[in-house]
Amino acid sequence: MELFYSSSPNVYKVMIALEELELPYELRLVDLSQGEQKDPARLAGALHGKVPVLRDDAPLDGGAPIAVMESGAILQYLAEKTGRLLPSGPRGRLEAMQWLFWQMGGLGPIGGQAWHFRSFAPRLEPATDFRYPRNRYDKMLAALWDVMEARLSHVEYLAGEYSIADIACFPWIRYLPPDDSVRHAKLLAWRDRIEARPAVARWLQRNEAFNTPYGRNERGGLAYPFDGLARHVLVH
C-alpha cells in the first residue's frame, strides 16, 4: 500500500489504522507548499485535491490497484478489507459509523476552522479583527468536546469497543485538546488511553522519522514555508 502523505490529523488517522492493522505501507510525500495536491498524478489519480489518498495494489476483489480518497472512506475500506476495527454486530457497526461520520462532518471541519483563525488568518490579514470567527469556532469546538464527554461518560470507546471511530477522532483531540481538565475529564482520559496503545507509538515514531525536505514544527507537522502554504492551501 502507498499512503499519499502530508502532516495533518486526517493523514495521521489513516497511519494509525495501518499500524493497528499491521499492514505494510509506504509514505509518499505530497508537498502542499508546492501545490502538488492539485495534480491528480501526485495523488494516484484522485481528483479531490487533498491528502490522504491510499493506493492498494492488492484489493480484496483481486482486481486492478485501487485508490481511495477521503480519510473516513479509507478507514472504512481498511476495516472492511481486514474485518477489524469495526464491531461485528449491526448495532455496534452502526454506532461506529455514526461517530465516524460525526467526526468527518463536525470535529474535523470545525477543528480545522478553529485552528485556521487562531494561527493562519492573523498572518494572512494582520490588519483584520478576527475575534468573531475565533470565538465562533472555539465555541463550536467546545460544544463538540461536550458531546464526546457525554458519550465517554458511559463507555470507554465511542462505539463501545475500540474502532475506526476512535481512530478518526483521536488525532483531532490530540492536535487541539480541550483546556478544561474537569469539564472534559472523560475525553482526556480517552485520549490518554489511545495514546498509550503500541500502534499509536509506532505511528508517532514513523511520522517523526519520515524524511522530507522540511523540518518539524512544535506540533510535529512539516514546517512548510508559509508563503507556499498561503499560495497553495490557505488562499485559493
Side-chain angles (χ1 to χ4, degrees):
M1 292 187 180
E2 295 175 288
L3 179 60
F4 294 82
Y5 166 97
S6 186
S7 53
S8 82
N10 288 330
V11 173
Y12 295 159
K13 65 177 83 159
V14 178
M15 291 180 70
I16 292 169
L18 289 165
E19 294 293 343
E20 290 281 5
L21 296 167
E22 299 180 294
L23 294 171
Y25 65 99
E26 297 294 331
L27 294 175
R28 304 289 183 225
L29 176 65
V30 179
D31 190 335
L32 304 187
S33 70
Q34 298 295 321
E36 291 181 354
Q37 73 277 14
K38 299 176 184 177
D39 180 1
R42 297 277 187 171
L43 294 177
L47 300 175
H48 68 328
K50 297 190 298 181
V51 290
V53 171
L54 182 75
R55 176 186 163 96
D56 185 0
D57 285 343
L60 197 59
D61 63 7
I66 189 170
V68 189
M69 66 182 193
E70 290 295 329
S71 58
I74 296 171
L75 292 180
Q76 183 178 359
Y77 172 80
L78 291 172
E80 291 178 346
K81 176 175 179 173
T82 61
R84 295 172 57 193
L85 297 177
L86 263 178
S88 57
R91 289 178 180 266
R93 177 187 170 86
L94 178 60
E95 201 72 66
M97 297 308 294
Q98 287 182 92
W99 285 102
L100 175 65
F101 292 140
W102 177 86
Q103 186 279 313
M104 298 296 297
L107 185 63
I110 298 305
Q113 291 296 325
W115 182 249
H116 177 86
F117 284 105
R118 291 182 193 183
S119 181
F120 295 128
R123 296 181 67 183
L124 292 167
E125 295 187 15
T128 301
D129 182 355
F130 289 109
R131 284 177 295 179
Y132 171 72
R134 274 201 304 268
N135 288 338
R136 170 180 168 80
Y137 287 111
D138 283 354
K139 288 179 179 177
M140 292 177 74
L141 185 57
L144 294 167
W145 293 334
D146 289 345
V147 172
M148 290 189 75
E149 179 71 17
R151 174 62 176 166
L152 294 165
S153 296
H154 303 287
V155 293
E156 285 199 340
Y157 297 105
L158 293 170
E161 63 184 74
Y162 184 67
S163 74
I164 56 174
D166 302 286
I167 293 172
C169 292
F170 168 74
W172 283 103
I173 298 300
R174 189 176 189 273
Y175 191 70
L176 283 173
D179 297 324
D180 191 331
S181 60
V182 175
R183 179 177 170 184
H184 297 114
K186 299 293 187 182
L187 172 55
L188 292 172
W190 166 90
R191 177 201 62 184
D192 293 345
R193 281 196 300 277
I194 296 177
E195 184 118 38
R197 294 179 68 87
V200 175
R202 293 196 299 270
W203 153 65
L204 276 170
Q205 183 178 31
R206 183 154 186 177
N207 185 60
E208 292 169 0
F210 182 54
N211 189 31
T212 77
Y214 306 102
R216 297 273 171 176
N217 58 31
E218 69 280 0
R219 290 173 178 259
L222 296 183
Y224 286 123
F226 185 76
D227 288 348
L229 288 180
R231 188 180 316 114
H232 294 294
V233 180
L234 305 177
V235 176
H236 295 281

